[in-house]
Amino acid sequence: MLKNSLLILITLLMINKNHSQSQSNFYGSFESNGVYYQDNEQDNYADEFASNNYLNLKYLFNSNWNFEAQIESYSPMRLQGYSDSFEKTHLSTLSINYKKKGFGLTFGSIYEQFGSGLALRTWEDRQLGINNSIWGIRSTYENENFNLKLIGGWQKKGSQISVGKVIGLDSEITVYNSDEIYQNLMLGFSYVGRFENLAFPDIFPPVGYEFNDLTSLFSARIDYVKNDFYFGYEQIFKSEDGVTQFGLILNDFVKKGSAHTMNIGVAKSGFGFDFTFRRLENMGFFGDRFEQGELFGETTINYLPGLTKQHDYLLTNINIYESQPYVSFPDPSLMKSGEIGFQMDLYYDIKKGTFIGGKYGSNLSLNLSSWYNLDGEYDYDPFDYNTEFLGFGEKYFSEQSVELRKKWSENFSNIILFVNKYYNKRYVEEKIGEINSQILVIDNTVKLKSKKSLRFEVQHLFNKDDNKNWYGYGLEYNFNYNFSAYYNNIVNYQNIEDDKPNYYSFGASYTKNSSRFSISYGKQRGGLLCYGGICRYVPAFKGLSFSINTSF
């Protein structure tokens, strides 16, 4: 497969060269990620090579028509941590799009988002193994003050499609718009329906469930902006549906769902404030109902990311919070129906010439987030619950972080980050334990001559619970704007029981025009991998990794 990847790459580079000369309407991209696994917690990957490969092609027929297709290859097998529905080589997505005078029409694979995505979002994230595009038809109309979208079809599920059908309607109306003082008021309304005809599998002739085959989401939202101030609110109502527990859909546990989210903030030069409140109750929504509770979240219809600070460092990404929108009753001592909480960000530029600002000024940021189970009355036998709208139950997670970015001279700057974190393993992972930890990171960058630079970071995680203390460090050297190399290591030095495990990695990357090549070797810690608040579990492994990205 490595030979095939190199052959495809060379072909694409030749296409790229010819394309730049002819200025045709054909363009695309190629990505290949491969790992040769050595030590691995999954036996079938030991001493084996795996790769995920994506070839995306687009062609513009004219100003009205365009075509897009994506071919995927998982050969000789997919990377670990991805769904087994990704296999072999297949045509993954295909779409034909038409647009003229405000009208649009799409046949095939549809990527779409209604509002913030709480009701519907289909997108691709290759790092997470998510591609939940809808295979069907979309019709759109838009003008200066009004947008309308209609979609319908089946969701992509690996190389297959979902059993359930998805339909949707979204509209946005601009009520008021003024360029003089930059003021805008927008209203939005959405409907999303999932139709799946279920029957008890062990009964013949098949007998259907008592709840409706059609489950509906109704959404209303408002967005207002005036100069530096913004405000947004969205409310969603979900119709009754059978709740999935222990991999089964229960006929006698049928509940409605809801979502509320509010975002308010101020963005000025040198100052920013953002506050988000969200409440989710029984908001799991999948093209196939039985996907709820599965590891990979395939055929998920709505977008429910964890609203916490997205960190860049290895130790700050231990015990990451993943949103809890589902109903889960594993035992009488642990019953959940969703989440409620908030996130707040504050940014401030410290002026030059002050004590902290110094000669070049500094940037200070503060993040607070806190998430809880919904408070209310819960019954285990029979399953039932009744929640309070603003009831804060058992705490899932909280985090407070302070970050200072400071430039000390023309050639030296650093970042100092402190994080205080609480993680309820019992309620988030449904395992035993609560974890209180603090993380300190010092990240330093030195600019050298001839476009060279050196970055060195040190980290420490203070933890009296779980696996105790960690330390980490990293070194990155940029030879120029194109070529860089790195080494990093984190060590769980107080974990005597597991022989003080350490996880190291070293590698290099090269970028030229629109192409990037990277290679690395190391030992990766198992755990959640998150992008944009959406996570997947990555098993631990040691091995050689490479990636190729190019566009033409």
Side-chain angles (χ1 to χ4, degrees), residues 116-127:
S116 64
L118 279 176
L120 179 141
R121 185 191 184 198
T122 58
W123 84 105
E124 180 187 29
D125 191 312
R126 296 169 183 173
Q127 297 297 319

Side-chain angles (χ1 to χ4, degrees), residues 191-219:
Y191 169 80
V192 180
R194 184 269 321 275
F195 183 87
E196 184 182 13
N197 188 1
L198 288 180
F200 289 101
D202 298 329
I203 298 177
F204 185 84
V207 177
Y209 287 81
E210 294 181 5
F211 51 82
N212 293 331
D213 294 332
L214 176 65
T215 308
S216 300
L217 296 186
F218 301 90
S219 168

Side-chain angles (χ1 to χ4, degrees), residues 192 194 215-219 235-244 255-259 281-286 289 292 302 325-327:
V192 180
R194 184 269 321 275
T215 308
S216 300
L217 296 186
F218 301 90
S219 168
Q235 178 178 350
I236 294 178
F237 168 79
K238 177 185 175 185
S239 64
E240 284 190 338
D241 194 21
V243 177
T244 302
K255 303 293 288 187
K256 297 179 180 180
S258 64
E281 179 176 338
N282 187 24
M283 276 300 292
F285 200 41
F286 295 82
R289 284 180 172 96
Q292 181 165 319
N302 51 349
Y326 310 117
V327 175

Side-chain angles (χ1 to χ4, degrees), residues 52 79-83 125-130 295-297 322 524 527-531 533-539:
N52 295 0
L79 297 176
Q80 65 169 359
Y82 287 78
S83 169
D125 191 312
R126 296 169 183 173
Q127 297 297 319
L128 297 175
I130 291 177
L295 290 175
F296 306 104
E322 190 174 16
Q524 178 173 291
L528 290 180
L529 174 69
C530 301
Y531 289 92
I534 303 296
C535 307
R536 73 174 175 92
Y537 179 77
V538 177

Side-chain angles (χ1 to χ4, degrees), residues 412-468:
F412 177 67
S413 62
N414 68 6
I415 300 170
I416 301 174
L417 171 66
F418 178 78
V419 180
N420 181 54
K421 184 182 296 188
Y422 168 80
Y423 184 83
N424 193 329
K425 206 171 186 178
R426 172 67 171 152
Y427 271 84
V428 177
E429 299 182 17
E430 300 183 0
K431 299 178 181 178
I432 297 174
E434 297 180 39
I435 302 171
N436 292 276
S437 61
Q438 297 77 40
I439 305 104
L440 178 64
V441 179
I442 302 176
D443 187 348
N444 310 281
T445 300
V446 180
K447 292 183 179 179
L448 305 173
K449 295 180 180 180
S450 303
K451 302 178 182 179
K452 297 179 175 62
S453 66
L454 175 68
R455 190 177 71 85
F456 177 73
E457 68 182 49
V458 291
Q459 310 173 43
H460 193 277
L461 188 151
F462 304 87
N463 182 9
K464 295 181 180 179
D465 310 309
D466 200 43
N467 292 322
K468 309 301 181 182

